[in-house]
Amino acid sequence: MPRANAGLCDRPVDLLINNAAQGAPHAALGAIEADGVLNALDVNVAGPLRLVQFLLPNLLRATDPIIVKVTSRLASLAAQANGDFAELSTSYAYKISKAGQDMLTVSLAQDLQGRVRCWAVHPGKLATGMGQTDASKDPRAAASQLRELVDSNDRASPRFCSLGEPDLHW
């Protein structure tokens, strides 16, 4: 494997945004393919972990680094347990892997406490190809809100926030 920071040399990385998103088609319980769940876990959890490991020396060289994981409100165990999204046809692969990504955020925040802020950010109901039928938020608006959040002096870590809305419950 190449040196962890070979392409960046000793340059600091101030901001790492993990915007991985992989799901699988929604299916009835008996028809869910485990390979789809494993693929989503690899993309949404193991991929961001590998990237953090790769860039860690550069993140630690920065003055005030931030790791952002673009997640989903659907990853909230509290909201799912309440049945808040029961009417949505979201795949097990997506919900499970995004919840895993949020646990990665919490774990990284604990390991990197005081050195790197770690946030799980739900961008809102984005009107994209992966969005739910009720999605109406322009991705450009979400990008602007994310920029404002990153530029803020918010010191919380870990944080599970929803852009333009109150923070979410894990």
Side-chain angles (χ1 to χ4, degrees):
M1 183 171 178
R3 241 180 75 228
N5 58 6
L8 293 171
C9 298
D10 292 332
R11 288 183 283 174
V13 171
D14 299 307
L15 176 63
L16 169 59
I17 299 176
N18 288 295
N19 191 24
Q22 177 69 42
H26 175 70
L29 181 56
I32 295 169
E33 295 187 23
D35 285 346
V37 174
L38 293 173
N39 183 57
L41 285 167
D42 186 46
V43 171
N44 296 347
V45 182
L49 173 61
R50 288 189 289 268
L51 192 54
V52 168
Q53 290 172 320
F54 183 81
L55 292 173
L56 187 58
N58 303 87
L59 286 160
L60 294 175
R61 282 186 182 87
T63 304
D64 191 21
I66 304 170
I67 298 171
V68 171
K69 306 253 182 313
V70 178
T71 187
S72 172
R73 64 193 170 122
L74 301 174
S76 169
L77 294 179
Q80 290 289 356
N82 285 336
D84 293 353
F85 310 118
E87 77 286 354
L88 300 178
S89 59
T90 308
S91 72
Y92 272 57
Y94 187 77
K95 291 184 284 190
I96 292 168
S97 64
K98 285 298 186 174
Q101 188 182 65
D102 288 355
M103 180 56 75
L104 175 61
T105 301
V106 170
S107 298
L108 289 171
Q110 290 170 346
D111 279 347
L112 299 171
Q113 186 176 17
R115 298 181 292 161
V116 181
R117 288 178 283 162
C118 301
W119 297 337
V121 177
H122 168 60
K125 298 183 219 177
L126 298 182
T128 67
M130 285 188 67
Q132 292 287 335
T133 56
D134 65 342
S136 61
K137 187 172 191 178
D138 184 332
R140 290 172 293 207
S144 178
Q145 289 173 322
L146 180 58
R147 177 62 187 245
E148 288 174 23
L149 176 65
V150 167
D151 288 344
S152 75
N153 290 322
D154 189 325
R155 306 305 309 160
S157 183
R159 184 171 176 204
F160 187 12
C161 58
S162 182
L163 295 177
E165 302 288 331
D167 280 8
L168 299 167
H169 296 286
W170 295 98

